[in-house]
Amino acid sequence: MLILSVLGLSTMIACSSSWLDIKPDQSLVVPKSVVDYQAWLDNTSKFNNSSSFGNMEVSADNLYVPDATFNGLSSAAARNIYTWAKGNDDFYEGEGSASWSDAYDKLLQVNVIIEGIDKVERASDPTGWDNVKGSALFYRAFYHYALLAEFCGAYDEADPLGIPLRSTANVNDKMQRSSLKQSYEYVLSDLDAAAKLLPLVPANKLRPSRLAAWAMLSRIYLVMFNYPAALQYAQLCLSSDDQLLDYNSLNASANFPFDRFNKEVILSVYIANPAILSQNNHVIDSALYSSYGADDLRRQLFFRINAGLPRFKGGYFGVANCFVGLAVDEVYLNAVECLLRTGQLKEAENLFNKLMITRWKTGKYIPVSFNDQATALKTVLEERRKSLLFRCLRLTDIKRLNKSTDQKVSMRRKLNGNEIVLAPNDPKHVLPIPQKELLLNPMTQNPR
């Protein structure tokens, strides 16, 4: 009966003209116990598989699309996203945004779960109850942050253009954009609450945990330029789990060298890759590919040569889909960057070398010395890009680096004989809200 109820809610979401049109039939929502709500959360096709995030990889500078491939794309929205187009009144040209609808679909469901579990006596199963409530709060933070990363600019306390926050399952609540500061504070509050409820280590890597909450807090505080807090949560996470995968132990000739639940994975989440991220459509940026040394194992593990050109082979999801979950290597890189930015160069050097030696052929890595903060930071940011490739983090990094003063990034594409340039801090780094949503719920559109 629970499965039918969840399917019924999902069907109403899929058939709705807008996620705000959903009016759940409460007679269908029958979960009544901790076990019922945990079963809902364990629907991995819902909470561990997303249509969000992918546009951020398409919009970044890790790849390009050959002219013939671009000209053959059937999706006008995909072409607009890839070329950082200004667009017309409807940027998505009638297609809508899968990122927007998928995230709010998930937010509706987690709010139903939060409101439902609050009606269940915690004393009936305290450990299970805490896991349900903590997991739902984690996912509410995770998917709100997905929206912040795609539909908002770099963090600025004075920016009024945050996202519409969904804190209840009542779809009749007024839809309006919160400020960016309010949006981030809401996400941080949910993660703080989740960390207090979740177990340190989950029953499996498809479930949130305290480690996942700390890793997520580190990620978010980093983009907020709060380096001491980002470092604090990275160190909390690493104090409990700092295991690294020795890339020498992997089979570089395998189609997919990484195990889906390898020791570095904290929480496994993946995306349905947009067409441009298909192995047959994209090509890795030539300068990026050339930056991997001959003895750098990532060169063989991350890429395959197809039609004479490098393509992304696959990462921590185990196949070609982009891994957008949380992993120990990202936490290491967060910690190293924050140590540098807070003047702790020796500590950053030690941690960086501990990570990087596992990425190179045995005996070939030459440890680096961090004697100058600016030079060290440049090295670490380059390695961050090379290590976290196709995790849909690059665009967020570009936006935060452009907001600061030290490492601005201009992006360029060559297409059909023309060069397209996206200058630092250009508003086109931020994708528009779908036009349908604005017609139903008037709010300020992102400038293009």
Side-chain angles (χ1 to χ4, degrees), residues 65 67 70-71 82-84 412-421:
V65 177
D67 291 353
F70 176 85
N71 296 333
Y82 175 74
T83 58
W84 313 307
R412 288 175 167 78
R413 301 212 194 281
K414 292 181 180 178
L415 185 65
N416 294 323
N418 298 311
E419 184 177 54
I420 307 168
V421 179

Side-chain angles (χ1 to χ4, degrees), residues 134-200:
S135 296
L137 288 169
F138 176 90
Y139 283 129
R140 189 164 71 181
F142 189 82
Y143 285 105
H144 269 133
Y145 179 69
L147 291 160
L148 283 166
E150 183 166 333
F151 296 100
C152 296
Y155 185 71
D156 184 338
E157 287 192 356
D159 190 341
L161 297 182
I163 56 171
L165 295 168
R166 306 311 298 176
S167 59
T168 75
N170 184 356
V171 296
N172 294 311
D173 285 349
K174 183 175 174 56
M175 179 79 156
Q176 58 184 357
R177 296 186 77 161
S178 301
S179 72
L180 199 57
K181 183 174 185 288
Q182 290 169 333
S183 300
Y184 272 88
E185 286 177 344
Y186 190 81
V187 169
L188 293 173
S189 176
D190 272 353
L191 286 172
D192 284 335
K196 293 179 174 67
L197 293 166
L198 289 167
L200 180 67

Side-chain angles (χ1 to χ4, degrees), residues 17-76:
S17 60
S18 164
W19 79 275
L20 284 178
D21 294 332
I22 304 160
K23 294 182 171 56
D25 181 347
Q26 295 302 317
S27 67
L28 291 175
V29 183
V30 297
K32 290 184 170 62
S33 69
V34 169
V35 171
D36 290 342
Y37 284 108
Q38 186 61 62
W40 192 341
L41 286 163
D42 284 339
N43 180 359
T44 57
S45 65
K46 175 57 64 177
F47 296 108
N48 301 89
N49 177 12
S50 178
S51 294
S52 299
F53 306 100
N55 288 336
M56 291 184 283
E57 193 65 46
V58 172
S59 298
D61 59 353
N62 290 330
L63 59 82
Y64 71 90
V65 177
D67 291 353
T69 302
F70 176 85
N71 296 333
L73 289 171
S74 60
S75 168

Side-chain angles (χ1 to χ4, degrees), residues 290-312:
S290 298
S291 69
Y292 294 86
D295 294 318
D296 186 335
L297 293 165
R298 293 171 297 181
R299 187 181 179 98
Q300 288 77 42
L301 293 169
F302 287 173
F303 308 111
R304 64 163 47 95
I305 303 300
N306 182 354
L309 296 168
R311 325 275 178 149
F312 184 65

Side-chain angles (χ1 to χ4, degrees), residues 5 122 130 180 185 230 265 270 273 280 310 352 363:
S5 301
R122 181 178 178 275
D130 287 351
L180 199 57
E185 286 177 344
V265 172
Y270 70 101
N273 286 356
N280 293 324
F352 181 76

Side-chain angles (χ1 to χ4, degrees), residues 248-317:
N248 287 279
S249 68
L250 303 176
N251 179 8
S253 64
N255 286 334
F256 303 111
F258 294 97
D259 182 78
R260 183 173 300 186
F261 302 117
N262 72 70
K263 66 171 67 174
E264 289 186 18
V265 172
I266 297 171
L267 174 68
S268 182
V269 183
Y270 70 101
I271 66 169
N273 286 356
I276 285 178
L277 299 186
S278 161
Q279 290 182 325
N280 293 324
N281 287 340
H282 79 268
V283 179
I284 298 300
D285 176 79
S286 57
L288 173 61
Y289 180 69
S290 298
S291 69
Y292 294 86
D295 294 318
D296 186 335
L297 293 165
R298 293 171 297 181
R299 187 181 179 98
Q300 288 77 42
L301 293 169
F302 287 173
F303 308 111
R304 64 163 47 95
I305 303 300
N306 182 354
L309 296 168
R311 325 275 178 149
F312 184 65
K313 183 189 293 190
Y316 281 14
F317 184 61

